[in-house]
Amino acid sequence: MEINWNEKIKESLDRTEFMAIATYGDDGSWVCPVQYGYSENLKLYFVSMKGSKHVENILRNGQVALAIFKTERFADGDVLGLQLKGTARHLDNESEIEEAARCYYGRSGEDFKTKVQEHMDENAEWQFFEVTPSELWCFDSRAFGEKRQKADLSAINLPF
């Protein structure tokens, strides 16, 4: 069966604006829900406060795991979601923050250019972070039954 990963991943991402991000720190693992945006090449962006536990963990160890899924099932009871692992990092230069703002605020149709400056100062309350996935698994009971399928990330080009 030929899988259109761009279509399937985009459908999954567009079903919800939240993801669960798992980080690891000195006291073990930590999971936190965050609102996110995404780029055409599947970079994931979120904003968080620098003093939060998941951010402190990311600043020490950028390895993360993510789950993206809508809690409501399809009408026939099927489910669709993504599980990813990758690397997260804090964004601190203007061009990267502008790209993150385009993807994050652009989902809701906001003018992202008006938002960039509020994230530029290293002392700003809300900072941008980027996740670069290294592995992605899709669970789509409509297409795969009860098994997850590993996606080929090399050819991802999502319509924005």
Side-chain angles (χ1 to χ4, degrees):
M1 165 175 61
E2 181 70 26
I3 300 168
N4 182 334
W5 285 114
N6 287 312
E7 184 179 288
K8 193 158 294 295
I9 291 168
K10 178 145 176 60
E11 179 185 9
S12 299
L13 296 171
D14 286 346
R15 291 190 77 220
T16 184
E17 60 186 292
F18 296 97
M19 66 182 177
I21 184 166
T23 60
Y24 192 81
D26 293 339
D27 59 350
S29 59
W30 184 254
V31 177
C32 181
V34 295
Q35 190 174 10
Y36 74 93
Y38 63 89
S39 71
E40 295 83 353
N41 62 353
L42 196 56
K43 299 277 187 178
L44 300 165
Y45 300 99
F46 66 95
V47 294
S48 281
M49 291 184 270
K50 265 194 151 173
S52 63
K53 188 170 188 168
H54 62 282
V55 167
E56 289 176 356
N57 288 346
I58 287 169
L59 294 175
R60 286 190 201 103
N61 173 0
Q63 297 302 303
V64 296
L66 312 167
I68 299 174
F69 59 96
K70 187 172 184 167
T71 57
E72 292 89 12
R73 295 174 179 264
F74 289 103
D76 61 4
D78 282 317
V79 294
L80 170 66
L82 305 175
Q83 294 170 281
L84 305 95
K85 69 178 188 176
T87 306
R89 67 185 185 93
H90 175 243
L91 300 181
D92 60 4
N93 81 46
E94 189 167 1
S95 64
E96 290 179 326
I97 291 171
E98 185 170 321
E99 172 65 2
R102 177 186 74 86
C103 297
Y104 183 81
Y105 293 110
R107 283 189 87 171
S108 63
E110 290 183 66
D111 181 4
F112 71 91
K113 291 182 181 185
T114 65
K115 302 287 192 175
V116 172
Q117 285 307 309
E118 69 188 66
H119 299 287
M120 283 298 300
D121 185 340
E122 71 179 45
N123 296 316
E125 184 174 16
W126 294 94
Q127 300 283 315
F128 264 113
F129 293 82
E130 174 190 83
V131 176
T132 302
S134 59
E135 192 172 312
L136 181 146
W137 292 79
C138 179
F139 185 90
D140 185 348
S141 59
R142 302 167 305 175
F144 312 137
E146 297 301 314
K147 295 186 178 186
R148 299 177 307 151
Q149 296 289 321
K150 188 174 183 181
D152 176 8
L153 293 176
S154 66
I156 298 301
N157 185 19
L158 304 171
F160 193 79

